[in-house]
Amino acid sequence: MAAITMNHIVKQYGDGFPAVNDISIDVADGEFMILVGPSGCGKSTLLRMIVGLEDITSGDMMIGDRRVNDLAPRDRNLAMVFQNYALYPHLTVYENIAFPLRLAKTPEAELDKLVRDASATLELDEHLDRKPGNLSGGQRQRVAMGRAIVRQSDAFLFDEPLSNLDAKLRGQMRTEIARLQKRLGITTVYVTHDQTEAMTLGDRVAVLKRGILQQLATPRELYENPGNLFVAGFIGSPPMNFLPATVKGSTVELPFGSVEIPAERAERAAGRGLLIAGIRPEHFEDASLASDSVRTGSTFSAKVDAVEWLGNETYAYLPFEAPAEVRAQLEQLEKDLDGEGLRTQLVVSLDGSSRIAEGQDAEIWVDGRRIHLFDPSTGENLTVDHEHAGRILGAEVNSGKA
Ligand SMILES: Nc1ncnc2c1ncn2[C@@H]1O[C@H](COP(=O)(O)OP(=O)(O)OP(=O)(O)O)[C@@H](O)[C@H]1O
Ligand SMILES: [Mg+2]
């Protein structure tokens, strides 16, 4: 096993396009690192540079204390698990797992032990004599992982391994990969565009946008302290709401009314003019249900456009007006996130017992402690707690207008 260190890695393809633009990430020995971001942000390119399937334009790629830029893939001792698993259809599961050992001319007894150990770990014992074509997607995935395990590689690299599976199996496999990774303690880099996978699997998550690292932090840090609008909009489902806002003293003026926020947050955003406020759907509640124990927070009244009752929770949709300056930034953000286009409406997640109905003027409570404030020109989160936000890139390259 080994740490993987990426130092100022750049990849320019033949046409000059910087697919990966000066990315530095350190993956600790045994760590589960996620690379996440929308399509085309450079995730696969970065992964392929780690494995050696793509030349590195500049920067240093280190595995352990070896610089591997000029090493062939087979000399890097890494195991890549591809999306389509690349299993040999005419070989049994046993022989598929044994394949790299046969290539390396491993003695039969040792080979057999390694294959059987891997198969036990992966719960494939009863399938060893079967052919991959007769297996489920999840079983095939495990065979591919078995092949990686027997090679005793320094690290596992996954590129969207679950994207071919249906939702239920994807959930199962996610749990399985997480469990195996913990058990094997093997350094892992995992590429996905799915923020749920990123949140549930990663020890840390690197969020990429157009070849640039936006933030590198634990899932909790990303969620609670997103460094900029892009990360805030990308992490979380349903996504964070964005509204025009101005700060006066320790009060934020929102389209629906004013909300008290903690003084230190207000101070960091003071004297800035028009801002973008970010509030997650779950930080609202039906005012009649908001717990008495929650003293901070404010209530406001808003017209309810639509309601979706899910049993355990209720989504309510509250439209609002936004000035052109804020709209422009939010439209750009929607494009960056591959979104469905801008809709200026607040989505709030209320307790399932809420009786709020369509067409009503509803009393809504909001938790003022959780409101983020973003600079509308750079996208920088002004309220972020830098001590708990991991690594955030400078605001100049994070501008949504770039
Ligand atoms: N062989 C290539 N030649 C030129 N440009 C390329 C090549 N491969 C990828 N690119 C470009 O590099 C950028 C990053 O591509 P990459 O495949 O790394 O994205 P990704 O984040 O993995 O996206 P996805 O989620 O769609 O797989 C894209 O803009 C892509 O068009
Ligand atoms: Mg890709």
Side-chain angles (χ1 to χ4, degrees), residues 56-247:
I56 298 168
T57 307
S58 67
D60 299 312
M61 184 69 73
M62 310 286 296
I63 298 173
D65 43 22
R66 278 196 311 172
R67 185 176 185 271
V68 299
N69 288 48
D70 303 317
L71 284 188
R74 67 173 177 283
D75 298 326
R76 297 191 187 193
N77 198 30
L78 303 172
M80 179 124 174
V81 181
F82 291 96
Q83 189 181 69
N84 51 13
Y85 320 134
L87 300 178
Y88 301 101
H90 58 288
L91 297 180
T92 61
V93 167
Y94 184 101
E95 285 302 328
N96 263 286
I97 297 177
F99 196 79
L101 301 175
R102 295 244 182 259
L103 277 186
K105 307 231 180 333
T106 309
E108 190 63 35
E110 186 187 341
L111 175 147
D112 189 63
K113 181 171 182 337
L114 286 168
V115 171
R116 293 197 184 274
D117 284 353
S119 145
T121 307
L122 295 162
E123 291 164 25
L124 285 169
D125 288 348
E126 58 188 310
H127 306 297
L128 284 175
D129 298 327
R130 303 178 72 195
K131 299 277 172 64
N134 301 329
L135 301 178
S136 74
Q139 289 162 339
R140 267 180 252 169
Q141 168 90 57
R142 276 181 274 158
V143 178
M145 284 177 74
R147 202 157 57 185
I149 291 173
V150 293
R151 283 179 48 198
Q152 298 175 297
S153 319
D154 283 331
F156 277 173
L157 304 168
F158 292 93
D159 193 350
E160 311 237 12
L162 308 183
S163 56
N164 286 341
L165 309 179
D166 65 51
K168 180 154 171 276
L169 194 56
R170 201 156 54 222
Q172 282 172 13
M173 284 308 297
R174 204 166 65 210
T175 323
E176 205 155 309
I177 289 178
R179 207 168 40 120
L180 270 172
Q181 199 274 343
K182 287 283 166 292
R183 181 162 355 135
L184 299 167
I186 190 163
T187 312
T188 301
V189 183
Y190 185 107
V191 162
T192 180
H193 62 268
D194 179 331
Q195 64 93 27
T196 312
E197 276 179 33
M199 293 295 278
T200 51
L201 285 172
D203 292 322
R204 285 191 301 160
V205 179
V207 184
L208 273 54
K209 174 183 129 187
R210 291 196 220 123
I212 296 174
L213 178 64
Q214 304 292 301
Q215 191 168 1
L216 176 61
T218 64
R220 181 176 290 273
E221 287 165 342
L222 283 182
Y223 189 83
E224 293 180 349
N225 283 305
N228 60 36
L229 266 180
F230 178 79
V231 176
F234 191 77
I235 300 290
S237 176
M240 189 184 277
N241 293 291
F242 296 115
L243 314 156
T246 48
V247 177

Side-chain angles (χ1 to χ4, degrees), residues 230-377:
F230 178 79
V231 176
F234 191 77
I235 300 290
S237 176
M240 189 184 277
N241 293 291
F242 296 115
L243 314 156
T246 48
V247 177
K248 293 200 181 76
S250 62
T251 308
V252 181
E253 305 281 346
L254 298 172
F256 304 100
S258 47
V259 180
E260 282 293 311
I261 65 168
E264 70 274 13
R265 285 200 168 208
E267 272 160 31
R268 285 185 222 144
R272 292 274 195 152
L274 185 61
L275 300 174
I276 295 175
I279 317 175
R280 297 206 181 274
E282 59 273 31
H283 296 147
F284 295 90
E285 189 50 274
D286 179 337
S288 67
L289 300 171
S291 154
D292 293 339
S293 63
V294 185
R295 302 233 168 70
T296 43
S298 310
T299 58
F300 60 87
S301 173
K303 186 96 176 156
V304 178
D305 195 35
V307 171
E308 285 169 3
W309 183 69
L310 302 174
N312 62 332
E313 61 182 335
T314 304
Y315 290 130
Y317 298 84
L318 320 166
F320 63 85
E321 300 288 325
E325 195 182 340
V326 167
R327 288 188 70 93
Q329 173 68 291
L330 294 182
E331 266 159 27
Q332 179 61 46
L333 179 67
E334 277 299 311
K335 264 188 232 150
D336 289 344
L337 294 168
D338 291 338
E340 292 154 11
L342 180 66
R343 279 196 290 173
T344 46
Q345 62 176 357
L346 195 59
V347 181
V348 300
S349 158
L350 313 174
D351 193 279
S353 64
S354 169
R355 290 286 184 268
I356 279 174
E358 247 162 67
Q360 238 181 18
D361 272 323
E363 288 290 315
I364 305 285
W365 173 88
V366 58
D367 187 348
R369 296 167 305 178
R370 318 284 195 112
I371 295 181
H372 298 274
L373 294 165
F374 300 91
D375 182 318
S377 57

Side-chain angles (χ1 to χ4, degrees), residues 13-15 17-20 37-46 48 54 159-160 191-193 208:
Y13 281 111
D15 52 7
F17 183 79
V20 170
S39 182
C41 72
K43 310 177 288 291
S44 296
T45 301
L46 191 54
R48 292 166 61 81
E54 207 71 72
D159 193 350
E160 311 237 12
V191 162
T192 180
H193 62 268
L208 273 54

